[in-house]
Amino acid sequence: MEAEAFVSGGGLLVAGTTSDAGKSVVTAGICRWLVRQGVKVAPFKGQNMSLNSYVTREGAEIGRAQAMQAQAARVEPTALMNPVLLKPGSDRSSQVVLMGRPVGELSARGYHGGRQQALLGTVVECLEELRATYDAVICEGAGSPAEINLRRNDIVNMGIARAARFPVVVVGDIDRGGVFAQFFGTTALLAPEDQALVAGYLVNKFRGDVTLLEPGLDMLYDLTGRRTFGVLPYTHGLGIDEEDGMGVPPARATSSARGRVSLRGTVRESVVAPPVGEDVLRVAVCSVPLMSNFTDVDALAAEPGVVVRFVDRPEELADADLVVVPGTRGTVRALAWLRERGLADALARRAAEGRPVLGVCGGFQALGERIEDDVESRAGEVAGLGLLPVRVRFAPEKTLARPVGEALGERVEGYEIHHGVADVRGGEPFLDGCRVGAVWGTHWHGSLESDGFRRAFLRQVAEAAGRRFVPAPDTSFGALREEQLDRLGDLIEQHADTDALLKLIESGPPGGLPFIAPGAP
């Protein structure tokens, strides 16, 4: 589809010199800043690779980052905002989710070898529909636009920018070092037609005196003919739901792993607010392989007095008041991992002692008696941990839902993303799963974001753990998230040239941008 087919809605592509340069945060910040100016805006990412996903109201699965960017824009997320989602199942293959529904499993070679380019029409049509509805669309790129080996089939970086004739702002993380080389090299490795869309740069995570940076920005302008649209300071506690689930290590629980609990890292940083009661509550999250939707524990981390950490050794469960077995894209693989590391035995001992364990989605499945999987792992019948009276059969169709219910006397909202169908054969009903003693299991993601339910659940955990912990009566997870998005909007408003950004969004790429040799090979 050619650019002439597009309607007149303005827009911008936020690209990055690397993965994790800050594209998601900047996109969300621009969306929140624009909506506060009265601009009707929507986020967009043509193709996303993430194990952290979300279910829209129409039952479509999209990346959580795009759902949060929609919240930043104060609009309801839809599949149009993330038409292609790739959910890794290994280092070499991913499930392809198209317009919110899984359409198959492909190897990286098979996807980039032709399937990706075939999806360009769908991606462009989604962007066109958003442009027809909104005043502006802020697109997020993926990885780097200068991945020259992938440019021919690109549908998320310069491919979509060229189709839409959108200006491009490249974000670089100066905290990593080498940002000037990254900006110059990224531009110089693009074809002339792509370079003509690169309007300039945005420095992210700067520490120190900005006047010391300014001579370098002037030299960058002399070298590239492109200006820098802002220098965003390194600000503790900024971020939105993690996009790249593959970035979470399935093993050692390092400080960087802990930082990837999005609101743990963004609202409270690594400092736990003082507890309301006399004790803190310690939560250990098993770092299972292919961990998905680990954002489920964000609401726990946002509670004053709750300490959340990721673990991969049985001795690290010893002082935990609650152990969470989170979702995973590979339940059978996660089961083997739990057994190999001795965590399965540690979980069994906890259950026998009446010490709290919570399994969510794949973690819930692993706690059951038996799994029949001819879909995800194709391993056939596999024994579960036997802590809950549940048998799971993997169905070809994926369950995508936004359930509402009640548990512990409180209203609960959640969302479901799973192939496993649970046959619950006993225990006390708990959401769609069950509870036996101090072991809970459910397919519902996001349930702990319901404030009343979370407080009731933590009270029961504290009682079972013998802790004098009291949940804060006024912690609102939704309010914390809104505060976070406002902080992102403030960051753009205070440290970026918003007049220049608005002109780009309204008028498109500036003319006369010079070509930087050598260009794409």
Side-chain angles (χ1 to χ4, degrees), residues 324-495:
V324 178
V325 186
T328 171
R329 174 83 163 85
T331 303
V332 170
R333 179 175 167 184
L335 265 170
W337 182 88
L338 290 168
R339 288 184 168 116
E340 288 165 2
R341 291 182 172 265
L343 287 161
D345 290 338
L347 289 169
R349 286 194 298 271
R350 287 187 66 91
E353 295 165 359
R355 303 177 67 199
V357 175
L358 171 65
V360 180
C361 201
F364 165 45
Q365 297 165 5
L367 297 179
E369 298 171 347
R370 188 181 71 192
I371 293 172
E372 295 178 25
D373 182 10
D374 295 317
V375 176
E376 193 174 76
S377 67
R378 297 180 174 84
E381 186 170 316
V382 177
L385 299 184
L387 305 185
L388 290 175
V390 177
R391 296 184 180 181
V392 176
R393 176 183 56 82
F394 276 65
E397 302 79 21
K398 181 183 284 191
T399 296
L400 297 169
R402 289 275 295 269
V404 177
E406 184 176 305
L408 307 182
E410 299 285 348
R411 186 176 187 274
V412 187
E413 296 183 21
Y415 57 98
E416 296 183 67
I417 306 169
H418 54 92
H419 283 279
V421 179
D423 177 12
V424 178
R425 300 187 168 201
E428 177 185 341
F430 177 69
L431 302 177
D432 71 331
C434 65
R435 171 187 180 181
V436 174
V439 180
W440 291 266
T442 177
H443 273 132
W444 290 22
H445 294 289
S447 63
L448 293 167
E449 295 179 19
S450 298
D451 296 328
F453 167 70
R454 181 180 66 254
R455 287 191 276 268
F457 177 71
L458 289 177
R459 280 192 290 269
Q460 293 213 3
V461 168
E463 182 180 354
R467 295 287 186 187
R468 290 172 292 185
F469 169 85
V470 178
D474 56 354
T475 300
S476 168
F477 185 77
L480 288 172
R481 182 167 276 166
E482 274 297 304
E483 290 173 13
Q484 193 62 18
L485 295 172
D486 275 332
R487 292 184 68 198
L488 296 179
D490 292 344
L491 191 70
I492 297 298
E493 184 172 351
Q494 296 167 11
H495 299 283

Side-chain angles (χ1 to χ4, degrees), residues 29 51 56-57 61 91 138 166 239 242 269 275 301 312 324 356 364 369 371 382 385 387 416 479 512:
L51 287 173
T56 67
R57 292 202 182 280
E61 184 180 9
D91 291 340
I138 307 302
F166 272 2
E242 194 68 35
E269 210 58 48
D312 70 340
V324 178
F364 165 45
E369 298 171 347
I371 293 172
V382 177
L385 299 184
L387 305 185
E416 296 183 67

Side-chain angles (χ1 to χ4, degrees), residues 216-292:
L217 301 180
D218 293 338
M219 287 185 275
L220 182 65
Y221 178 81
D222 292 339
L223 287 166
T224 67
R226 290 160 174 85
R227 57 168 300 184
T228 299
F229 290 97
V231 178
L232 308 183
Y234 190 104
T235 306
H236 291 281
L238 284 181
I240 58 174
D241 285 2
E242 194 68 35
E243 175 179 274
D244 188 356
M246 293 297 281
V248 180
R252 285 301 314 143
T254 63
S255 59
S256 62
R258 288 194 297 271
R260 288 186 181 274
V261 185
S262 54
L263 283 182
R264 180 80 191 94
T266 58
V267 175
R268 305 279 181 195
E269 210 58 48
S270 59
V271 178
V272 178
V276 175
E278 297 180 44
D279 290 343
V280 298
L281 209 62
R282 296 170 177 84
V283 179
V285 184
C286 296
S287 299
V288 296
L290 298 174
M291 193 189 319
S292 62

Side-chain angles (χ1 to χ4, degrees), residues 7 129 132 182 348 401 421 510:
V7 293
E129 187 169 341
Q182 293 171 24
V421 179

